Amino acid sequence: MMTPSTNTGPIRTERHDDVLVIISNNPPVNALGAAVRQGLEAAIKDGVNDDSITAMVIRCDGRTFFAGADITEFGKEMVEPGLPTVVDMIEASSKPVVAAIHGTALGGGCEVTLGCHYRVAVPSAKIGTPEVKLGLLPGAGGTQRIPRIAGVKLALEMTAKGDPISAKKALDAGLIDKIVGEDSLEADAVAFAREIATKRPLPRASEKTAQADPDAVAAFKKENARRFRNFDAPAANIACVEKATDGSSFEEGIAFERQEFMKLMTGVQSAAQRHIFFAERQAAKIDDVPADTKLREIKRVGVIGAGTMGGGISMNFLSAGIPVTIVEMQQDALDRGTGVVRKNYEATAAKGRIRPEQVEQAMGALKRTLDFADLAECDLIIEAVYETMEVKKEIFTKLDAIAKPGAILASNTSYLDIDAIASCTKRPEDVVGMHFFSPANVMKLLEVVRGDKTADDVLATVMALAKKIKKVAVVAGVTYGFIGNRMLMPRQVEATKLLLEGASPEQIDKVHVAFGMPMGPFQMSDLAGVDIGWHRDPSRIENIRDALAAENRWGQKTKAGFYDYDEKRTPSNSPRVTEIIDKFRKKSGVTPRDISDEEIVVRTLYTMVNEGALILEEGKAQRASDVDVVWIYGYGWPVYRGGPMFWAQSEGLAKVVAGLEKYGFPVAKSLKDAAASGGRLK
């Protein structure tokens, strides 16, 4: 018989005869905030002190088990009891406690389950410790209990990489004791609790011994060396897991875990990663558009152009279950482009990430056509053709004549003026920029460019749609290059000037890679194509890039660019490039000099910060954190540095201003003012 309690707050209890069910209802994800922790502590005490209770079950209402700590509490004074205290108390209970898991048991939620004596889960549940993704480690005993229950190898995977595992994998590893019915979790958990109610001794993770596995640790470090490069948190997680196996007591392991946790929590890297966590969520908000704005219905999307971008853009919508009409001028271009889409899906299926029938489902929702008029059925039409204003204006003029009333007309332009494009139509309020990043089916960033006349509901619809297709969207104003590419320009300009003045491509790229970028400016040029934007006249050589392009040094695709490349696209220094640079130095009358790494940082990175400050001053980005989101998700800025604007703040704005002034750059007023007042870029 079930007897409900009269508990108030996010935790309540229900008696199922001799089993006490402790229930959390703290929407949306049952975060383990102070009130939840206090409620759990009180409920466990009640269960232990009630002689008529033989066992307890902890479960959650809503869509998920405890999905982690309440990170809004990070950096504030902890309200007792802390999570480690609650987890230890659960484990110390003299009566068995069963975790009943659905949804995701993540971070602190996972650690609550580890403190329980037994764990049952529905088949769809996932369990994990993703704290490393916020520059942290599971700080309530996770690094000590997982290796004691499931061994070193899985503990390293879960803590240092942070990816959740399935209920089946958890069951096989011993992290879960039983998989129960998807729709009968509570009843099955209560039945399980009765089965084990009298079993003694109670299985406590803290009383188990973790076996050392140095080979597994060495292999894990080697396998993930590139992924973990320059990050502090993975190394701390690995060290804690090793501590659990070195013969130390559980108490000593916990003390070590706490020490490492506090080092990370007070460090710059975790602050940067937590900044981006919140910045990503903030970026979805449009400051001057009401949250309840009625959205336009998007049932079918049209894409103009079946090239690399058009195909990738189409995949985003097809993968989200939204039908796509794709238009090309020529049949061979259409066949080639849609063939690449199929090939990409089949490669994903081959890796086991999607089922073969999902490939056919996606391709079945793709309508291929050479008839522009077929776009009349679409609710959103995205142009993804050549980056020239004349072509785009021609397309939007045609679109204006055939698109149905209320259809959103979007351009995937990387640089061009959305207002000029919109002026070709009689409906500029329906025009918006949707700048996808290449490869469009992989990169998470979407710059949503708001024209002067873009309607609020158009902007809100596109931002909501971005979430549906799993993009991180940022609103940008109309300015050449928007946010990301506008900030890229001073970097590229200064990098080229530094070449003429005495630096080499290798030195400049090395500074950027050491900083944490995936590649430097010249490596990036070679990957993208040195010929991009080239005027195509080999006799017209006005700069180093022209000289390279004229000799067919177009980058990786021709095995020669700023570097030479072998069959595996491995770069090496190019004597020919050195000759070309020397020739331009002589032609310009420049005597090469030694250039310091510090000068490279100021001229290629501080200048980006300065451009970001100008973008904010002009109102072309809503907030400084949006600029950071663009660079993290669009350009590979290292997340542990938090984006250019956060990095400038942690570097010291006064230092940034002094560096810019030292090398003669005009400094943005907002940057100067914030440096002088000790304030922040907003």
Side-chain angles (χ1 to χ4, degrees), residues 72 127 238 318 330 372 385 388 417 474 476 483 508 520 566 591:
T72 61
I127 185 167
I238 293 167
L318 295 171
Q330 304 293 334
F372 211 78
V385 300
T388 61
D417 186 337
V474 173
I483 298 171
I508 295 167
D566 63 16
T591 304

Side-chain angles (χ1 to χ4, degrees), residues 68-85:
D70 184 346
I71 66 169
T72 61
E73 295 183 348
F74 286 3
K76 298 176 185 173
E77 192 172 337
M78 178 56 70
V79 177
E80 294 299 334
L83 188 60
T85 303

Side-chain angles (χ1 to χ4, degrees), residues 261-507:
F261 180 86
M262 291 312 297
K263 271 192 216 165
L264 294 173
M265 174 59 87
T266 55
V268 172
Q269 287 200 2
S270 179
Q273 288 176 259
R274 284 180 276 133
H275 162 73
I276 289 299
F277 179 87
F278 288 114
E280 182 183 332
R281 282 144 188 81
Q282 187 71 12
K285 296 172 184 169
I286 313 166
D287 284 346
D288 60 349
V289 175
D292 60 354
T293 299
K294 190 175 186 319
L295 305 182
R296 299 191 187 186
E297 196 171 18
I298 307 296
K299 290 182 177 176
R300 177 173 283 274
V301 173
V303 176
I304 303 169
T308 303
M309 283 307 295
I313 290 168
S314 299
M315 287 182 72
N316 290 301
F317 296 100
L318 295 171
S319 298
I322 301 169
V324 172
T325 298
I326 191 164
V327 182
E328 254 298 352
M329 300 279 289
Q330 304 293 334
Q331 188 66 48
D332 61 340
L334 184 63
D335 292 344
R336 188 167 55 250
T338 55
V340 170
V341 170
R342 174 175 280 282
K343 195 173 167 187
N344 286 341
Y345 274 125
E346 286 173 347
T348 305
K351 291 172 187 167
R353 292 180 190 158
I354 60 173
R355 299 185 306 279
E357 57 267 31
Q358 288 176 282
V359 177
E360 299 310 321
Q361 199 175 3
M363 294 307 296
L366 180 62
K367 178 178 177 179
R368 303 147 26 104
T369 182
L370 299 175
D371 188 353
F372 211 78
D374 285 342
L375 294 170
E377 63 187 350
C378 300
D379 306 293
L380 162 67
I381 303 167
I382 304 169
E383 161 275 310
V385 300
Y386 302 118
E387 190 72 353
T388 61
M389 183 60 84
E390 293 74 23
V391 173
K392 292 187 189 290
K393 282 186 170 182
E394 184 185 333
I395 283 174
F396 273 77
T397 302
K398 283 172 74 177
L399 271 183
D400 194 34
I402 64 157
K404 66 185 179 183
I408 297 173
L409 311 182
S411 174
N412 178 51
T413 178
S414 308
Y415 289 93
L416 301 178
D417 186 337
I418 290 295
D419 291 330
I421 293 169
S423 71
C424 298
T425 74
K426 297 182 184 71
R427 45 173 124 181
E429 69 281 0
D430 292 337
V431 178
V432 68
M434 290 180 73
H435 178 210
F436 289 83
F437 283 66
S438 186
N441 54 308
V442 175
M443 296 293 283
K444 286 186 75 172
L445 181 67
L446 177 67
E447 279 185 315
V448 178
V449 188
R450 181 185 200 172
D452 285 345
K453 295 182 179 176
T454 302
D456 285 357
D457 65 337
V458 167
L459 191 63
T461 298
V462 171
M463 291 296 284
L465 191 60
K467 192 172 182 181
K468 192 170 182 181
I469 61 171
K470 298 182 178 173
K471 296 296 181 193
V472 177
V474 173
V475 176
V478 176
T479 181
Y480 188 71
F482 313 128
I483 298 171
N485 282 340
R486 176 169 161 180
M487 289 172 67
L488 188 65
M489 284 186 278
R491 186 183 92 166
Q492 299 302 102
V493 166
E494 289 304 313
T496 303
K497 284 182 183 174
L498 284 160
L499 278 189
L500 282 173
E501 292 171 35
S504 67
E506 298 80 25
Q507 182 192 3

Side-chain angles (χ1 to χ4, degrees), residues 499 504-506 522 526 544 548 551 553 560-564 572-585:
L499 278 189
S504 67
E506 298 80 25
F522 301 107
D526 278 359
I544 292 168
L548 296 177
E551 293 186 11
R553 298 189 68 94
F562 283 94
Y563 299 89
D564 292 333
S572 59
N573 296 346
S574 171
R576 178 59 188 144
V577 171
T578 303
E579 286 175 17
I580 289 170
I581 293 169
D582 283 342
K583 185 177 175 182
F584 269 89
R585 286 171 181 162

Side-chain angles (χ1 to χ4, degrees), residues 88-106:
D88 289 347
M89 192 182 121
I90 291 169
E91 191 182 58
S93 165
S94 57
K95 296 173 183 178
V97 183
V98 179
I101 307 163
H102 78 296
T104 51
L106 298 179

Side-chain angles (χ1 to χ4, degrees), residues 221-234:
K221 285 180 178 177
K222 185 178 179 183
E223 182 187 333
N224 293 286
R226 188 172 176 187
R227 176 177 178 157
F228 295 162
R229 184 173 66 92
N230 295 339
F231 281 91
D232 294 338

